[in-house]
Amino acid sequence: MRSQRTLRAVVILIISAFLLRLYAGRLALSDGSLLFYGPDSYYHMRRILYTVDHFPSTLWFDSYVDYPHGLEITWPPLFDVLGAAVASLGGSTHGAEMMASLLPPVLGALTVGVIYLAAREMFDERIGLASAFFLTISSYAVAVNSFGYVDHHVLEMLLLALIVLSLLRSASGIRWSVAAGISIALLAYTWMGSAAYVLMVLIYTIARMSLDLRDGREPPKDLVMAPAIASLLVLPFWSSHWMLPSAIAIFALLGASVLGYAIYILSQKRLPWYSLPGIMIFTGLIILVAVYALRDGVTSLFYTTLVTRLPYIIGGEMSGLIEEASPLLTMDLKSVLGLNILITVAVLVLVAMRHIYDRKKILLIVWTLIALLLTFGQKRFLYILALNMSILFAVLFSEICMLAERRERRQMVAVTLVILVVMSIPSLWRLSRISDDAPDIEGDWVTALKWLKEETPPTSFFDDPSRRPEYGIMSSWSYGNWIIYLGERPVVANNFQAGVADSTGFFLSESESDAEGILNKRGARYVITSWEMLYLTLPSAARWIGEDPSGYLRYTPSGKYLSIELTDRLRRTMLARLQLYDGLNMSHLRLVYESGTFRGESPSTASVKIFEHVPGAVVTGRSSGPVVAILNITTNQGRRFTYAIETAPANNVYTLRLPYSTGDNGAVRAEGDYVIMNPETAKELSVDEEDVLRGSTIQLDL
């Protein structure tokens, strides 16, 4: 009877987890369309749709990224292939998007079941159920498991939980060793950074072998078999760029396991048990020193992995440049997150004090320490720490319940429920907040990219991006995946940080000629700016080129808020000249679209603007003084502004390059003709669209 009740409880939790993750992503559905959470979801979806058409092959080179060069895609394929298998059931593109969006809630719900089994294996049934409950309501888990969050993180969580469960049970049967090896390999096929989790297995291997030797157990063959299976499974692709870091880590784990097993056999007869960790750690240090000293041939692969890959996983040079890669060191300990971290660490210390020699508890300790290291390096890894938090919160809940069990049964049940509610409040409070979050791309960006797709010349090879399309889009790397997927146009820079140097260099350039050089080099025909680029993401953009953000923006406390002041230097940048001043006094960029929402003051500006990069009509002639060209413009939103450009003549000859034509040629149109004037006279001039697009020369003496 009890086992049936437990089974029902677990099934209810799994179903609840699925429904909760559906509810949390409900705002992804908007006006009959589907918007995804997170910019990477858009590229995963692009790759999934490509894989549906080329199954089981996936997209390994994309000419729509890092235009005009294209980019090799280094994401491991498993999530996208799995997503394609599910999406293929949807039929139409919209149906495929819907099916792919359902995959994260399903995998997230399955993870709840696996955590129940793992926690029960470590402790008991009550802690197992409580762990499943806390993971069900964990806002950090729901954030990456919700409907519409089509990203590999949810599969990463599930496979990590399966690795832990398999390692916990591997000593009891060979099938669990095989399961552990398969799970490790599948994780390598899911995420390039899986070496961090292999490190967890390595430390656990050393610890468990030492404990087994201390307790006189049989040699731990399971700890050798798991990495052996994983090595065999990754071997076919081990040298691929996307697999190499994980493969090296898995091969190192296998080598360490074999070495540890050999030491184990020798130590049973000749050496004390504590010689095993000492010899393995010493050997590891010698290997690391050798790899660092040689840095050539095969060892260069290990060196590159250690020096470039692992530092990135824990923040490294990306700290301060990418929001999700920011460290957690500045968190407020009085916040909900700070409280959760403190409780997690406190309970971990309690478990370590009580169970430091327990083979199963030592896995929880090592796993949690690695999760904490990752999270403090990059706060995005909170979704991984959520697994550990759920188990450790369940341990705390069990400890409190044991105190309550001294009361009468009715009182005990009431007290237990109260404790459960109290412990759930922080998660439920934060969960209610993220459940009201809509995808970042909603509103003006969706409308702008729809306009871009429908009103600009189409580019080729979108569905099979093996060849170079006709032109690219210059915008912030933060919006690259949106532009590719929704606008169906190639981008100079995207969320892989490809092209970010030229993108940032263009927008922060204070010289139009330098900026023009970047546009020409990159083949960019359109430039997209936004209010967020100016006021929110500019600090990280400045850091990309080694500049101090305070040189562009100054923040002054104003009550509960910060007042933002734009410096003169920022106003000279291409970003400000376009976003704030509509390209005033610029020769090659003209406004062709602006969104309907206006934000800010002095001046108020459209949330999103699109500019076209054109040769511009060249107007030249004689003039005895400075020349100014003026043209009244009405935008697609009905806003009126005056475009003006000026120049000084050389030897009484002036030259102006004009980006707007005077006909009715688009959403943004001229009101009348140009007025070309100097201090002595003024003349009107009409300019054809063909003259602007060809860079034709028009003679006009003043």
Side-chain angles (χ1 to χ4, degrees), residues 537-552:
T537 64
L538 189 138
S540 64
R543 295 187 188 100
W544 272 108
I545 59 173
E547 294 285 351
D548 184 354
S550 64
Y552 297 95

Side-chain angles (χ1 to χ4, degrees), residues 347-626:
V347 180
L348 180 66
V349 171
L350 177 65
V351 171
M353 290 173 61
R354 289 184 178 178
H355 306 288
I356 194 63
Y357 295 116
D358 187 302
R359 294 190 306 166
K360 294 181 178 180
K361 309 301 190 302
I362 201 70
L363 177 55
L364 175 62
I365 294 169
V366 172
W367 176 26
T368 305
L369 289 175
I370 293 295
L372 284 168
L373 176 65
L374 291 172
T375 304
F376 277 101
Q378 294 189 32
K379 63 184 181 182
R380 68 189 178 113
F381 286 108
L382 275 167
Y383 65 88
I384 291 298
L385 187 61
L387 302 173
N388 308 77
M389 280 184 175
S390 300
I391 296 175
L392 292 171
F393 269 54
V395 171
L396 177 61
F397 171 71
S398 180
E399 291 288 326
I400 297 173
C401 285
M402 283 191 288
L403 296 176
E405 285 174 357
R406 299 173 184 175
R407 300 175 177 270
E408 295 180 7
R409 179 172 177 79
R410 187 173 298 177
Q411 289 180 325
M412 181 191 75
V413 172
V415 170
T416 301
L417 289 175
V418 170
I419 293 168
L420 191 63
V421 170
V422 170
M423 291 186 66
S424 303
I425 287 175
S427 289
L428 292 173
W429 175 79
R430 189 172 184 276
L431 187 60
S432 67
R433 296 186 64 185
I434 68 168
S435 296
D436 290 332
D437 289 343
D440 291 337
I441 194 175
E442 69 167 349
D444 284 23
W445 267 103
V446 175
T447 307
L449 294 182
K450 181 179 179 181
W451 183 92
L452 182 74
K453 177 182 176 181
E454 296 176 352
E455 301 298 332
T456 61
T459 52
S460 306
F461 319 120
F462 176 75
D463 294 323
D464 188 12
S466 56
R467 289 181 286 170
R468 182 187 298 178
E470 290 78 4
Y471 63 84
I473 305 293
M474 176 69 77
S475 190
S476 167
W477 63 270
S478 302
Y479 311 124
N481 289 348
W482 293 354
I483 296 169
I484 293 172
Y485 191 84
L486 294 178
E488 297 188 5
R489 297 292 182 269
V491 294
V492 172
N494 81 326
N495 304 73
F496 306 153
Q497 290 82 58
V500 67
D502 279 342
S503 170
T504 304
F506 168 79
F507 285 111
L508 295 186
S509 174
E510 299 173 42
S511 163
E512 184 179 359
S513 61
D514 291 346
E516 176 68 8
I518 295 174
L519 290 179
N520 288 329
K521 179 180 74 172
R522 283 293 190 162
R525 181 165 177 178
Y526 293 92
V527 176
I528 305 180
T529 65
S530 73
W531 183 90
E532 288 83 3
M533 288 172 62
L534 195 63
Y535 289 96
L536 298 181
T537 64
L538 189 138
S540 64
R543 295 187 188 100
W544 272 108
I545 59 173
E547 294 285 351
D548 184 354
S550 64
Y552 297 95
L553 295 172
R554 295 196 184 100
Y555 298 93
T556 305
S558 178
K560 296 181 179 180
Y561 304 98
L562 287 175
S563 174
I564 302 176
E565 178 187 354
L566 309 183
T567 67
D568 290 339
R569 184 180 184 187
L570 176 57
R571 294 180 187 276
R572 292 194 299 269
T573 65
M574 294 295 293
L575 175 58
R577 292 171 67 183
L578 293 171
Q579 179 63 22
L580 293 179
Y581 306 118
D582 301 310
L584 183 68
N585 207 35
M586 295 175 65
S587 302
H588 293 280
L589 289 165
R590 61 181 181 183
L591 182 68
V592 292
Y593 172 88
E594 65 179 3
S595 62
T597 303
F598 285 74
R599 306 171 70 177
E601 299 176 357
S602 301
S604 177
T605 180
S607 182
V608 181
K609 291 184 177 182
I610 301 177
F611 296 84
E612 185 177 11
H613 178 220
V614 294
V618 179
V619 180
T620 186
R622 300 189 63 80
S623 175
S624 58

Side-chain angles (χ1 to χ4, degrees), residues 177-439:
S177 299
V178 174
I182 292 173
S183 298
I184 292 170
L186 290 178
L187 189 54
Y189 281 93
T190 299
W191 183 49
M192 280 186 69
S194 63
Y197 306 133
V198 176
L199 175 64
M200 174 199 78
V201 179
L202 173 59
I203 296 173
Y204 169 70
T205 297
I206 297 173
R208 212 198 88 185
M209 282 186 172
S210 303
L211 293 174
D212 284 357
L213 184 60
R214 173 181 177 271
D215 297 337
R217 296 178 183 270
E218 290 293 317
K221 297 178 183 178
D222 58 300
L223 294 179
V224 178
M225 181 173 292
I229 295 293
S231 296
L232 286 174
L233 292 175
V234 303
L235 195 58
F237 301 98
W238 80 272
S239 61
S240 300
H241 185 63
W242 54 270
M243 175 61 83
L244 188 59
S246 301
I248 288 176
I250 291 172
F251 297 156
L253 173 62
L254 176 60
S257 300
V258 172
L259 174 63
Y261 189 82
I263 298 171
Y264 191 104
I265 300 299
L266 294 173
S267 298
Q268 283 183 308
K269 299 178 180 179
R270 305 175 187 174
L271 299 172
W273 71 270
Y274 48 80
S275 62
L276 188 149
I279 293 173
M280 291 189 71
I281 293 172
F282 182 71
T283 304
L285 290 174
I286 291 176
I287 292 173
L288 289 176
V289 171
V291 167
Y292 180 79
L294 296 175
R295 283 177 282 174
D296 189 26
V298 176
T299 58
S300 67
L301 299 178
F302 290 86
Y303 177 78
T304 301
T305 299
L306 289 171
V307 172
T308 63
R309 297 297 181 189
L310 290 180
Y312 173 78
I313 292 173
I314 59 174
E317 63 182 10
M318 292 297 105
S319 294
L321 302 180
I322 304 174
E323 175 63 22
E324 66 175 16
S326 300
L328 201 63
L329 299 176
T330 57
M331 70 174 178
D332 182 1
L333 293 178
K334 294 179 290 184
S335 66
V336 172
L337 174 58
L339 179 62
N340 287 340
I341 296 287
L342 286 176
I343 292 174
T344 299
V345 172
V347 180
L348 180 66
V349 171
L350 177 65
V351 171
M353 290 173 61
R354 289 184 178 178
H355 306 288
I356 194 63
Y357 295 116
D358 187 302
R359 294 190 306 166
K360 294 181 178 180
K361 309 301 190 302
I362 201 70
L363 177 55
L364 175 62
I365 294 169
V366 172
W367 176 26
T368 305
L369 289 175
I370 293 295
L372 284 168
L373 176 65
L374 291 172
T375 304
F376 277 101
Q378 294 189 32
K379 63 184 181 182
R380 68 189 178 113
F381 286 108
L382 275 167
Y383 65 88
I384 291 298
L385 187 61
L387 302 173
N388 308 77
M389 280 184 175
S390 300
I391 296 175
L392 292 171
F393 269 54
V395 171
L396 177 61
F397 171 71
S398 180
E399 291 288 326
I400 297 173
C401 285
M402 283 191 288
L403 296 176
E405 285 174 357
R406 299 173 184 175
R407 300 175 177 270
E408 295 180 7
R409 179 172 177 79
R410 187 173 298 177
Q411 289 180 325
M412 181 191 75
V413 172
V415 170
T416 301
L417 289 175
V418 170
I419 293 168
L420 191 63
V421 170
V422 170
M423 291 186 66
S424 303
I425 287 175
S427 289
L428 292 173
W429 175 79
R430 189 172 184 276
L431 187 60
S432 67
R433 296 186 64 185
I434 68 168
S435 296
D436 290 332
D437 289 343

Side-chain angles (χ1 to χ4, degrees), residues 643-659:
Y643 167 79
I645 188 169
E646 59 183 323
T647 188
N651 298 322
N652 291 329
V653 176
Y654 76 92
T655 300
L656 288 172
R657 193 177 287 270
L658 306 177

